[in-house]
Amino acid sequence: MYQLGWFSTGRDKAARDLLRVVNDSIKQGELEAEIAFVFSNREPGESKESDLFFKLVENYRIPLICFSSQKFKAGQATPHTSQEGALPAWRFDYDRQVMNRLAGFHPDLCVLAGYMLIVGEEMCRKYNMINLHPAAPGGPKGTWQEVVWQLIDSKAQETGVMMHLVTPELDKGPLVTYCTFPIRGKPFDKYWAEMEEYPPGEIKKQGENNPLFRLIRKHGLAREFPLIVSTLKAFSQGRVKIMNGRVVDAEGSPINGYDLTDEINGLVKGAISS
């Protein structure tokens, strides 16, 4: 059985929903794989949201490994920048501790779904890892909140969702799969028009309650679920592989990302309302 390792900070409902969608897909026989473990860089008691995530993992009877990055960082005497790269030295030590804790597992593929740490070079070499990022190829970097605000600030025409190979450079690994969708036309235009009426600085004060912000996130999140399942199916069936740090097809030929826009948009059409 194809073995998956699941990495998540478990910081919000989306983290729980992503795990739920993949676990349901496995139970229904759509995805022939097994989640061998779930790893979180938080521990019980650090956050109500992550505690809910841990409860879900335990209900699924998936082995759960927790190791607090915040507590580890606080215990370091010299959290200075390492010569190994831009990450602080404690981060490389932390990753080594994580790998020690996961030594009994041998995942075919590790999935980062809401894991809020950049992975260091050693861990990238040890595991085949892919990351879910809420933007189109070449789009904004950072958290989903940062991505949405950048889209609004730049008055973007479209966005998307992608999965890419994990590298030490944030959100810059080789593409695996992606889809795009417009954020103009119905139902977006009326919210873009409303934005023009807000005085400078007022938009950000609304935070995540801003109607356009919420609508962009809603449409993006609806595509994250089918994209991650389709991507994992391709890996478990051998249609996509990782070889020597490259994403390749079944014959070993390099892939520059599968465009699943038509497939994913077809799946979500009608499933989300304006």
Side-chain angles (χ1 to χ4, degrees):
M1 183 69 72
Y2 197 81
Q3 298 287 298
L4 298 172
W6 194 272
F7 287 69
S8 178
T9 300
R11 73 188 187 112
D12 54 19
K13 182 177 181 295
R16 301 193 295 274
D17 289 343
L18 286 166
L19 179 64
R20 185 179 293 113
V21 165
V22 172
N23 187 73
D24 288 349
S25 180
I26 290 172
K27 289 180 64 177
Q28 294 164 8
E30 180 185 6
L31 174 58
E32 295 183 2
E34 176 184 38
I35 301 177
F37 66 85
V38 170
F39 175 80
S40 177
N41 64 305
R42 284 182 179 170
E43 294 177 357
E46 287 191 65
S47 163
K48 290 182 179 179
E49 289 292 332
S50 52
D51 284 349
L52 290 172
F53 178 75
F54 300 152
K55 184 177 181 180
L56 180 66
V57 176
E58 291 166 358
N59 287 342
Y60 289 154
R61 300 183 183 278
I62 301 171
L64 173 64
I65 298 90
C66 297
F67 182 42
S68 172
S69 55
Q70 285 297 321
K71 291 179 182 178
F72 184 84
K73 178 183 179 181
Q76 302 305 297
T78 55
H80 56 275
T81 299
S82 167
Q83 296 299 316
E84 299 178 63
L87 290 179
W90 73 268
R91 281 290 291 104
F92 296 95
D93 294 334
Y94 177 81
D95 280 358
R96 292 174 190 128
Q97 292 281 347
V98 172
M99 289 185 282
N100 287 339
R101 285 163 168 75
L102 299 178
F105 299 98
H106 304 282
D108 296 296
L109 183 70
C110 290
V111 183
L112 275 58
Y115 187 62
M116 305 309 295
L117 292 179
I118 297 173
V119 177
E121 186 176 348
E122 288 183 38
M123 189 177 286
C124 289
R125 287 199 306 263
K126 183 174 179 63
Y127 299 116
N128 289 329
M129 311 182 84
I130 59 173
N131 179 55
L132 176 67
H133 182 61
K141 307 294 187 292
T143 66
W144 67 262
Q145 292 97 333
E146 292 168 340
V147 166
V148 176
W149 282 124
Q150 289 178 70
L151 293 169
I152 292 173
D153 289 343
S154 66
K155 303 185 187 312
Q157 298 291 315
E158 70 171 20
T159 185
V161 181
M162 67 176 177
M163 297 205 73
H164 63 88
L165 192 62
V166 175
T167 66
E169 293 185 277
L170 179 63
D171 302 329
K172 289 187 178 181
L175 269 176
V176 180
T177 56
Y178 68 96
C179 68
T180 61
F181 62 94
I183 51 175
R184 298 288 179 163
K186 294 183 178 180
F188 296 94
D189 281 352
K190 64 178 181 179
Y191 298 111
W192 281 109
E194 290 176 3
M195 300 292 275
E196 301 297 330
E197 301 175 6
Y198 291 127
E202 182 63 27
I203 296 173
K204 290 288 180 69
K205 290 181 181 179
Q206 297 180 14
E208 296 177 20
N209 290 320
N210 176 272
L212 180 59
F213 181 101
R214 295 176 62 182
L215 185 62
I216 293 173
R217 174 57 176 166
K218 179 180 180 180
H219 280 252
L221 191 59
R223 288 162 174 83
E224 289 183 11
F225 302 141
L227 183 71
I228 196 169
V229 171
S230 295
T231 302
L232 295 180
K233 282 175 64 177
F235 273 101
S236 66
Q237 294 169 357
R239 293 185 283 120
V240 178
K241 302 176 182 178
I242 299 172
M243 295 177 59
N244 300 319
R246 298 188 306 168
V247 183
V248 301
D249 62 18
E251 286 71 42
S253 299
I255 298 171
N256 189 26
Y258 278 129
D259 184 354
L260 299 179
T261 296
D262 291 341
E263 175 184 339
I264 301 302
N265 286 344
L267 289 171
V268 302
K269 186 177 181 181
I272 51 178
S273 59
S274 60

